[in-house]
Amino acid sequence: MSFFSRPHAQTQEGSVAVALNGTPPPVPAPLARNLEALDERKLSSYTELKVSLHQQLLDMINLSVIDKMPAAEFRSQVGEMVRELLVRENKPLNRQEQTQLVDDILDELLGLGPIEPLLKDESVTDILVNCHSNVFVERGGQLYPTAVRFKDDRHLLRIIGRIVSAVGRRVDESQPMVDARLADGSRVNAIIPPLAVDGPLLSIRKFAKVPIDMAKLVEIGSLPQSIADLLQGIVRSRRNVLISGGTGSGKTTMLNAMSAFIDGRERILTIEDAAELQLQQVHVARLETRPANIEGKGEVTQRELVKNALRMRPDRIIVGEVRGGEAFDMLQAMNTGHEGSMTTVHANTCRDALSRLEQMIGMTGFELPTRSMRAQIASALHVVIQLERMSDGRRRVISLQEITGMEGDVVSMQEVFRFRRDSTDSEGRIHGHYVTTGIRPKFVSEFQARGIQMPEGIFDPNHVLD
Ligand SMILES: Nc1ncnc2c1ncn2[C@@H]1O[C@H](COP(=O)(O)OP(=O)(O)O)[C@@H](O)[C@H]1O
Ligand SMILES: [Mg+2]
């Protein structure tokens, strides 16, 4: 098995480094240059040294062998190569420094380089790389700058390439945008120049290993217990639900938490662009879209999956997020006996969410008159929930509205609850409370018909929700 990609290298079975077994290859010129530069400037030499060694190793190593070689062996062989290079370059490091260097280089070679520690840090939920020297993380709903740096944009680009190639995607000038899911479920988006103006952009939304359930949402103050109870009734009584909110407002999390209320005997079909939902029921059939391959072929859209799902005898269909024409098929499914279906949409208000659906129906290419489009929406959907990620980092349910039908050409809705902001304290925390509008929603009759308990008195206008 040859580890060297260099044609002149003398290889030995199972060997990483020819240098250790035969004539040492000449020190590559760029490395020599970099190491000289280190001497001259005595700069943040460690990072420089590491990156430069890493780059050279990349040139020297036949990467395709990495997967086939036991990790320990790879490790020790790369360790030898690094020591060899250091000696040859007259860069004496003590044993501890060497071990650290080898560890870091291995992280760079096998893992995701400088962001590897952030990926391992459980308190980090999002990693946002704005260019090689500007990396933010989100912790507890707030963004913080970090000291993490890539050497330069090329280094960043290499890491991006590694992330996306691991899931069979690629990113280059002809495909400067890519959306992918890591093996652990985290979502990755990368967009590179020329679309990204100041250098490659990388956004990683880490997968929460333990999903936030409804009890947790109540505990962290995203909604009061009584509204959680109401949501449970809404799911049990098979109302069709649309969850609306901005990016990162917690739509998927809410969808997941609400789905937990579905009876385990029902057949649930989930359709997502990137499988994020973690339903606990046994009878769940999960579908995920597929992007086009490099030749532009083989794409399977959400729309096709929704259509196919209808032939799979689902009791309920859950679409992770509607973004296009699948909205139309989803509404049809809701209108044709798949009651209790749910989805999310990117919008800033409940009303806006409906306009977004209209636009999406427009994307199907059907020339539907506006009125019939709206009638379709009005008869399919029962409840719209608006979420918001507020300036204090907390995600809250800020409005719950019921769709009551059509008035003329307009879908009529009524608000059942709203979050009212009272004050902001010195630490920026928002305080407020939920107010009811005093309207008794129509879906309540559905609760009664199915024998579902209604939280006591929650629609009374003077009732304080907790
Ligand atoms: N109510 C919440 N409170 C705190 N964190 C939340 C809440 N809802 C979601 N999150 C976290 O916020 C991030 C984005 O949530 P997600 O549900 O994927 O948002 P969306 O689907 O709206 O983009 C995730 O890391 C998730 O764990
Ligand atoms: Mg989402």
Side-chain angles (χ1 to χ4, degrees):
M1 194 183 333
S2 163
F3 210 92
F4 260 142
S5 51
R6 299 170 158 248
H8 65 266
Q10 300 172 16
T11 56
Q12 195 186 349
E13 195 67 12
S15 166
V16 173
V18 172
L20 307 177
N21 306 302
T23 322
V27 176
L31 174 60
R33 246 197 338 269
N34 278 340
L35 292 172
E36 271 163 31
L38 279 179
D39 270 350
E40 275 166 25
R41 289 181 277 141
K42 301 249 186 306
L43 34 67
S44 60
S45 52
Y46 183 72
T47 320
E48 288 279 322
L49 177 63
K50 188 180 69 183
V51 172
S52 116
L53 285 175
H54 173 231
Q55 276 171 358
Q56 293 316 308
L57 285 168
L58 272 188
D59 287 343
M60 294 160 72
I61 289 172
N62 175 2
L63 290 171
S64 65
V65 182
I66 290 184
D67 292 340
K68 298 177 196 138
M69 186 174 271
E73 188 179 338
F74 179 74
R75 216 187 151 72
S76 83
Q77 294 203 26
V78 167
E80 282 301 321
M81 287 170 84
V82 168
R83 274 182 277 278
E84 187 89 2
L85 287 169
L86 286 172
V87 167
R88 207 180 306 141
E89 281 304 300
N90 201 14
K91 283 278 155 204
L93 295 181
N94 68 31
R95 194 147 277 281
Q96 197 199 338
E97 288 168 330
Q98 274 189 20
T99 311
Q100 178 68 47
L101 183 68
V102 170
D103 277 353
D104 287 355
I105 287 177
L106 283 168
D107 259 0
E108 301 250 336
L109 279 173
L110 302 172
L112 300 178
I115 57 170
E116 190 80 21
L118 302 178
L119 284 165
K120 287 183 186 142
D121 182 341
E122 301 246 325
S123 71
V124 171
T125 52
D126 299 69
I127 303 167
L128 307 163
V129 182
N130 298 323
C131 73
H132 70 277
S133 59
N134 178 349
V135 181
F136 277 73
V137 293
E138 184 179 298
R139 282 195 166 94
Q142 298 279 33
L143 286 175
Y144 299 96
T146 69
V148 170
R149 301 274 175 276
F150 292 82
K151 183 181 175 236
D152 52 24
D153 282 349
R154 272 187 40 224
H155 183 202
L156 172 54
L157 207 51
R158 248 198 352 260
I159 298 291
I160 291 176
R162 175 162 325 134
I163 294 174
V164 302
S165 65
V167 289
R169 312 288 299 276
R170 63 170 193 162
V171 63
D172 55 32
E173 267 187 35
S174 66
Q175 261 184 55
M177 270 191 283
V178 62
D179 211 13
R181 180 164 52 94
L182 300 186
D184 74 351
S186 299
R187 288 188 61 172
V188 174
N189 179 273
I191 179 159
I192 67 167
L195 301 184
V197 179
D198 298 318
L201 295 167
L202 174 67
S203 315
I204 300 181
R205 298 182 54 197
K206 283 170 64 184
F207 186 74
K209 305 229 157 29
V210 183
I212 306 178
D213 63 9
M214 196 59 83
K216 183 80 184 167
L217 287 174
V218 171
E219 187 191 315
I220 58 185
S222 292
L223 76 170
Q225 183 63 52
S226 51
I227 294 186
D229 293 341
L230 190 69
L231 293 181
Q232 172 162 5
I234 287 169
V235 174
R236 293 254 160 93
S237 62
R238 308 189 66 107
R239 300 299 78 201
N240 292 325
V241 177
L242 179 65
I243 298 168
S244 159
T247 304
S249 59
K251 299 182 296 295
T252 304
T253 304
M254 177 58 80
L255 183 61
N256 200 65
M258 286 180 71
S259 304
F261 296 134
I262 299 172
D263 192 310
R265 286 167 298 190
E266 296 183 38
R267 176 162 164 83
I268 310 166
L269 243 142
T270 69
I271 294 163
E272 297 173 272
D273 274 332
E276 288 181 284
L277 293 170
Q278 302 179 67
L279 302 193
Q280 302 305 311
Q281 289 89 339
V282 273
H283 207 144
V284 179
R286 308 200 303 153
L287 303 177
E288 190 181 62
T289 57
R290 192 172 68 182
N293 64 14
I294 291 169
E295 290 86 45
K297 298 206 180 84
E299 183 182 14
V300 180
T301 64
Q302 287 207 118
R303 177 136 208 240
E304 290 164 271
L305 291 180
V306 175
K307 283 186 189 156
N308 193 77
L310 293 174
R311 300 177 198 124
M312 297 168 71
R313 200 218 153 270
D315 289 313
R316 309 207 195 204
I317 297 177
I318 297 178
V319 175
E321 179 172 342
V322 287
R323 293 193 178 86
E326 68 276 4
F328 176 74
D329 305 86
M330 181 71 186
L331 292 171
Q332 282 212 316
M334 289 172 164
N335 270 327
T336 55
H338 303 94
E339 294 213 313
S341 292
M342 298 188 263
T343 189
T344 77
V345 67
H346 186 211
N348 294 328
T349 64
C350 293
R351 177 58 68 184
D352 188 25
L354 302 191
S355 327
R356 294 278 304 123
L357 288 184
E358 256 180 63
Q359 282 171 12
M360 291 175 199
I361 296 173
M363 292 180 193
T364 57
F366 292 137
E367 298 282 326
L368 273 182
T370 306
R371 191 171 193 291
S372 43
M373 243 193 272
R374 293 184 180 163
Q376 173 104 338
I377 293 172
S379 66
L381 283 176
H382 302 116
V383 176
V384 186
I385 300 165
Q386 183 67 37
L387 305 179
E388 191 175 301
R389 182 178 172 278
M390 296 192 150
S391 54
D392 60 356
R394 196 178 276 187
R395 278 91 170 172
R396 289 186 177 90
V397 171
I398 59 157
S399 178
L400 189 149
Q401 305 204 12
E402 175 178 49
I403 295 192
T404 52
M406 294 279 287
E407 266 167 39
D409 277 354
V410 182
V411 179
S412 47
M413 302 171 93
Q414 58 188 16
E415 190 162 54
V416 184
F417 294 106
R418 147 180 15 148
F419 178 74
R420 184 180 288 158
R421 229 168 140 135
D422 296 326
S423 61
T424 307
D425 67 21
S426 57
E427 268 135 52
R429 273 194 303 263
I430 293 165
H431 299 274
H433 65 289
Y434 286 84
V435 291
T436 69
T437 46
I439 291 166
R440 220 180 146 69
K442 290 202 301 183
F443 57 67
V444 169
S445 62
E446 208 52 47
F447 280 33
Q448 280 155 356
R450 294 169 194 259
I452 294 164
Q453 278 274 306
M454 174 68 58
E456 199 66 35
I458 67 167
F459 303 121
D460 298 347
N462 298 322
H463 186 82
V464 178
L465 293 176
D466 46 22

